[in-house]
Structure formats: structure tokens, C-alpha cells
Amino acid sequence: MSATVSPDQLPLQRLYHWERTAPNRVAFTQPVGGGQTVDYTWKQVVDQARRMAAHLQAQGIGAGDKVAMLSKNTAHWMMTDYAIWMAGAISVPLYPTLAAGTIRQILEHSEAKLLFVGKLDGWLGMKPGIPEGLPCIHHPLAEADAKKSYPGWDDIVAKTAPLAGEPVRPADDLSTIMYTSGTTGAPKGVMHTFANFMAAVAAGLERIPQNEGSRMLSYLPLSHVVERALVEHGQLQTGMHVYFAESLDTFTTDMQRARPTVFFSVPRLWVKFQQAVNHKMPQKKLDTFLKIPILSGIVKKKILSTLGLDQCIFAAGGAAPMPAELLAWYSKLGLNIAEGYGMTENIGASHITTGDPDSFGTVGRPYAPVQCRIAPDNGEIQVKAPWNMLGYYKQPELSAEMFTDDGWLKTGDKGSTDAQGRLKITGRVKDLFKTSKGKYVAPAPIEDKLVMHNAVEACCVTGANLGQPLALLMINAEATAVVKNGGKAELEASLAEHLKHINETLDPHEQLDCLVITSEAWTVDNDLITPTFKVKRNRIEDMFAKNYDRWVGMRKPVVWHG
């Protein structure tokens, strides 16, 4: 099945459309440090992209060549992508948190001819991953060492004449190779065409209220498929205003500046927002206020305003399951969060809910052109969409494994549909594990319950071949501070009570033996989570499985490791 779209809706055509029709409208607002920002109009954006495209062509970059980008989200990330497309090349975005070894693996596997180095935290640790002799160009917000080592964007743009005319690309041209972060194994290069993105975005705009007057804050990696589709390609379709975040430390300020009308976040960050609110206003107090008619409206407005979401008309979550209890918490504040479902292999655009409480616990119905079925043998969700990937770059065997004989994409997720045709994710086909009692345990639904404790940052339910499963927890910074200030016993008692309540809701074979709190933070650097905050179960097993029997043998509801 191939994606079909009107040629004038393809990305380069849309870029030229805004250059012609709205040259002086602000496209991007970019923080540059010290509380300062720079606005870029469509005219400025396209002019810089044209000049960089001309430079790339002068360096011999052309049709079929791969050009990589290693940077956090910035206006120049987007301009770079446009320049690569104009030059006839294929963009290869890298997550800005990757270790040097993974960077080298991707750059070599993709056969990148050139790398753009942009805004990063910890560039010096990444630099050894750049293959010897690979040409690089630095963005204006790159770190000092990159600026010293490589030619600069501004200098190149200043001395290069812009590419003339309106060069376009065929709809079926390969637009990008997106290397999946992957919870297991090495990253794989997902290939998508220009038509794939445009067809997926067109379907998305039928459900998501993005338009010329919309505002979005771009902060999740543009190297992730949802941010790429929703922000980059969404903006090209609608002409909306995109703001960029400066850092984690300034995130609240960034949100206040952008006042996004459409906002997407991963579950872990939605949980952190909730925990920040509860840190200032305990849940019992909040519940009391929300029951008082006049005060309720004031409190809701104050909380949403503090979060920068008071003008948000469409909020969404995805990339991992959204706990129903979390969705209900936001709904009480007057913010209904739509939950989307998809994967890099189908541009993250498979299903989405309306955000109504009635849909909590599901990921909604498929987008109009998407077909979905549940495999009768193992309960796997399989989808067929016009924008399914071409395959994995240089890995035809793995590509073939991802599709059924009749052309349906195998998601690896287990699920079921309700009477309204809404899809419910029940776990991963490969995440199921069997206890020593011969019973299968699906970890995801239990993890959804665990993460609702206000001290839990991330968790992993595990325990293959144990009598009962157990859970490993990473506690958040606030909880860590409580422990350091003498509150360990209080936190332990609270988590034990949380465990008791959860076990009461589970079947006997699912009930957790204990909660294990690890001292080490789970980060991208130590390879325990992906750049989109998904826990790498295989790495958890590698690091901690040798301790399972000892922890269980301690016969404590809460165990501290390290």
C-alpha cells in the first residue's frame, strides 16, 4: 500500500508556499541563552536553508546521499532538514543523548557523507563517535569545541548564494532514515518517504486541531517520529508558530513563553508535572478545593497557568502507555489528554483517542485509512497503513520479519478491541514472562499502577522463573531528597502501603513479592532507558537479575538496593 497525497502538500512545496504567502510571519522562536530569544520569519528560514542547500551541493552532496544531524531541537535543526531535502539528499537524525559508540554505529551504518553538530549537552563525550575524516558543520548553538573544530553555519550561509527556483522531490523519494531507539538490540534505520509523512499528517490533522494560529513548544527530540510528524511536518502543513525549549532548568519559562495550544508529552513527563503540582499542593488538599464550586475553577486555572497549559486546546500523550488514573487526574483539572498509539515504523500514527474520559484505558480508534486486527494465535496488534515504512535500511531480513505474509505490520504489542472499536494495549508479546508456577505475567498494566505513587520516576516489573514477580523502582529527585533528610522510613511505609493496595487488585499469580528501590538513576547514559524514557527490560535483567532470589528471601515489602 503506498501513500498518496496531493503534490502541493509535500514538504518542500509547503515550505515554498509559506515563503511566498507569509514571508514576514514568525515561524520559529529560538532561545539563545540569558533569557533572550531570536525570531525567524519564513523568509529568513527558507533563505538560510537555500544557502546551506547550495553549499551541500557544492560539496558534492546529491541524490541518495545521507546527511546526519546530531543536535537538540533548534530552529537550525529544522533549517538543516530543509536544506538536506533541497539538495536532494536523505536526512539521518540522531538522538542528542546517544553514547559515542552508538553515534559511530549509526553514522557508519547509514553511510553518512556529512554531519551537522548542533546544541548538545556533553558534546566532548560524543565526539569520539565521529568517524575520522567525516566532514562536519556546526550550528550557531553548538558547544565551543565543535565551533573550534568545524566550519560554522553562519559563516557558510553568509558567503553562499541561495539555491534558486523551487527544487522539489518526488513523493516516493526517501526522505529520512530514522534510527529507532529500541528497547532491545541495536538501532535499526526506519526508511520513510515524503509521501508517508504527508499522508500520516493529513490523517492526523483530521483529529488534531492544528492550524495557522496554533503554537507548539518543541522539546521532545525531533529525532523521534512523533515530534518529527507533529511539529516539523505539522508546521509545514499549517504554518503554525513553533517555539523551542532552552533546557530542563528553564522548561517552566519556556512553557510560559509558548503558551502552547497543542501539547504532546510522554507519560513520564505528564507524571512529573502531576508530581510537581502535588509537591506544592498535596492531593487531599487539591481534592478538597476541587469540590468547592467557586474555588474549583480558580484552582484549575491557577494550576494549568503554572504549567503553561491554560491556552492548550489539545493535549496528547504517547510513546508508552498512559495510566488511566493519570488521565483521570488531569481530566479533573479540565485538561483531557488524548492518547495516541503508533511506532516509528508507521510514523506514530495508528490510533488516537478523543481524550474523553470514556476512552481512558484505550488508545482509541484507528485513523481513517488505517486497518487494525488482532492476531488470533498470540493476540498481537497488526496494522496496515498507507504510511507503513519501506523497511529497515540495509536489513531486508529484519524488514521481512516485521510484516506478515499478507502485508500487515507486526507491532509486537498485545491488545484487544472493545464494542466501540477502540484498541486497548494489554502488554508486549515478548514482555510476557512466566513465573516458576507456570503462570504468565503481563508487566505493563502493573507498571501503570506502580508509577502513580508520587515518589516513583520509573519502574519495571520482572521475575521470570520466580515464585512471584517483583518490581524495581527508580525514585524521583524529590523522594531522594526526602530520604537524605531522614524520611526513609516514612517513604518506605508509603510504598509498602502502595504495594498492598496494588496487590489487592491483582490476580494471585501477578501479586508482587516486593518493591526494590535502586540507588542508581536510570538514564540514557547508563543504557537503562531509551531517549523517550522507555525502560530497557533486557538491561534491567542484565544488571539486577542476579539479586532477585536474595531480595525475595529478605521477606520485606520494600528493599533498598545499593
Side-chain angles (χ1 to χ4, degrees):
M1 189 183 297
S2 62
T4 56
V5 292
S6 171
D8 62 0
Q9 298 302 304
L10 291 167
L12 283 176
Q13 284 89 326
R14 295 303 292 170
L15 189 65
Y16 304 137
H17 167 79
W18 299 119
E19 180 188 36
R20 288 191 308 270
T21 63
N24 299 316
R25 187 195 304 161
V26 173
F28 303 133
T29 295
Q30 173 67 56
V32 291
Q36 302 298 307
T37 61
V38 173
D39 287 337
Y40 293 93
T41 64
W42 283 108
K43 181 180 179 180
Q44 292 169 324
V45 164
V46 183
D47 178 69
Q48 292 204 30
R50 286 178 177 281
R51 292 171 187 272
M52 185 53 68
H55 175 76
L56 292 177
Q57 290 185 344
Q59 306 311 301
I61 301 291
D65 289 332
K66 287 78 177 182
V67 177
M69 300 183 284
L70 177 61
S71 174
K72 296 169 81 170
N73 299 11
T74 64
H76 285 85
W77 195 107
M78 306 270 257
M79 293 183 216
T80 297
D81 213 13
Y82 305 156
I84 293 168
W85 295 341
M86 285 183 193
I90 299 159
S91 61
V92 181
L94 278 69
Y95 279 95
T97 48
L98 294 177
T102 308
I103 291 171
R104 180 176 293 273
Q105 178 189 16
I106 293 173
L107 291 175
E108 290 179 346
H109 184 267
S110 67
E111 303 169 291
K113 293 283 187 70
L114 186 144
L115 171 69
F116 285 88
V117 178
K119 181 181 178 181
L120 295 164
D121 297 325
W123 156 248
L124 290 178
M126 301 175 184
K127 189 176 181 180
I130 312 304
E132 191 74 26
L134 180 68
C136 297
I137 295 171
H138 77 73
H139 283 168
L141 293 176
E143 292 185 21
D145 177 80
K147 289 183 175 180
K148 286 190 298 183
S149 304
Y150 311 124
W153 175 285
D154 285 344
D155 290 340
I156 291 169
V157 163
K159 66 185 182 185
T160 306
L163 197 65
E166 295 189 353
V168 295
R169 304 280 293 278
D172 290 336
D173 253 17
L174 186 57
S175 159
T176 190
I177 302 174
M178 303 189 73
Y179 280 82
T180 59
S181 51
T183 54
T184 59
K188 301 182 289 289
V190 177
M191 297 186 289
H192 279 300
T193 64
F194 291 101
N196 277 10
F197 272 101
M198 288 306 94
V201 171
L205 289 174
E206 293 178 7
R207 306 262 193 109
I208 301 169
Q210 282 180 302
N211 54 51
E212 199 171 293
S214 297
R215 297 184 303 278
M216 286 197 73
L217 179 69
S218 181
Y219 68 101
L220 293 171
L222 277 163
S223 44
H224 185 268
V225 72
V226 174
E227 189 84 354
R228 192 92 177 271
L230 197 59
V231 176
E232 182 183 35
H233 287 276
Q235 185 195 32
L236 286 170
Q237 287 302 308
T238 64
M240 66 179 174
H241 189 159
V242 172
Y243 294 75
F244 293 94
E246 183 165 5
S247 68
L248 282 175
D249 294 336
T250 65
F251 191 77
T252 300
T253 304
D254 296 328
M255 285 288 286
Q256 297 282 351
R257 179 191 301 116
R259 283 282 192 263
T261 59
V262 176
F263 184 74
F264 174 86
S265 191
V266 295
R268 183 168 169 182
L269 291 178
W270 281 118
V271 169
K272 287 177 76 70
F273 296 159
Q274 179 204 35
Q275 291 174 347
V277 171
N278 285 154
H279 185 67
K280 293 182 179 179
M281 186 182 296
Q283 191 61 45
K284 286 185 179 179
K285 185 177 180 181
L286 177 58
D287 288 340
T288 300
F289 285 165
L290 292 179
K291 291 175 183 175
I292 303 171
I294 297 176
L295 192 55
S296 173
I298 296 171
V299 169
K300 290 177 184 178
K301 186 175 181 180
K302 174 69 174 174
I303 290 173
L304 293 178
S305 180
T306 300
L307 293 173
L309 292 170
D310 54 313
Q311 294 185 32
C312 182
I313 60 172
F314 186 87
M322 294 282 289
E325 190 179 337
L326 180 68
L327 295 170
W329 186 86
Y330 279 100
S331 186
K332 288 179 183 177
L333 295 178
L335 187 70
N336 285 344
I337 301 175
E339 184 169 6
Y341 171 66
M343 52 202 296
T344 307
E345 288 82 351
N346 61 13
I347 308 193
S350 175
H351 294 65
I352 195 167
T353 68
T354 58
D356 294 331
D358 184 51
S359 67
F360 291 172
T362 79
V363 292
R365 299 178 182 86
Y367 287 101
V370 176
Q371 300 174 64
C372 176
R373 72 184 185 188
I374 307 298
D377 56 339
N378 62 358
E380 183 183 39
I381 301 163
Q382 297 173 353
V383 294
K384 186 178 281 190
W387 46 82
N388 279 351
M389 67 170 181
L390 299 186
Y392 297 123
Y393 183 57
K394 296 198 300 190
Q395 293 182 297
E397 299 85 2
L398 283 178
S399 302
E401 289 175 12
M402 282 298 292
F403 291 92
T404 64
D405 291 341
D406 55 348
W408 293 68
L409 180 68
K410 296 191 269 188
T411 66
D413 291 316
K414 290 173 70 74
S416 60
T417 53
D418 64 17
Q420 287 74 40
R422 296 175 302 202
L423 178 66
K424 181 179 177 63
I425 312 295
T426 57
R428 291 283 295 170
V429 173
K430 294 180 181 178
D431 283 348
L432 286 178
F433 61 86
K434 190 186 289 186
T435 66
S436 62
K437 298 173 183 175
K439 295 278 192 176
Y440 281 102
V441 175
I446 306 173
E447 290 163 353
D448 283 351
K449 299 174 188 285
L450 283 169
V451 79
M452 292 312 299
H453 190 284
N454 61 13
V456 178
E457 176 94 356
C459 64
C460 179
V461 170
T462 184
N465 301 317
L466 294 177
Q468 294 292 137
L470 56 82
L472 292 99
L473 309 180
M474 170 193 162
I475 57 175
N476 57 33
E478 292 79 11
T480 302
V482 167
V483 172
K484 289 181 178 177
N485 291 325
K488 180 178 179 180
E490 182 182 350
L491 177 61
E492 190 172 311
S494 176
L495 285 169
E497 186 66 17
H498 188 50
L499 173 63
K500 179 175 179 289
H501 286 314
I502 289 173
N503 277 341
E504 288 171 353
T505 70
L506 300 176
D507 290 336
H509 72 279
E510 298 175 310
Q511 292 174 1
L512 302 174
D513 243 331
C514 61
L515 304 180
V516 181
I517 303 172
T518 64
S519 59
E520 184 178 11
W522 302 3
T523 66
V524 175
D525 289 340
N526 62 22
D527 202 33
L528 288 178
I529 61 170
T530 73
T532 52
F533 306 119
K534 295 176 188 172
V535 174
K536 291 192 170 184
R537 295 181 186 277
N538 60 325
R539 286 285 295 141
I540 294 287
E541 294 282 344
D542 291 345
M543 287 190 67
F544 299 112
K546 61 182 179 291
N547 300 298
Y548 291 174
D549 288 331
R550 177 171 60 84
W551 290 336
V552 171
M554 295 171 72
R555 298 293 172 220
K556 293 181 178 180
V558 179
V559 174
W560 298 80
H561 175 66

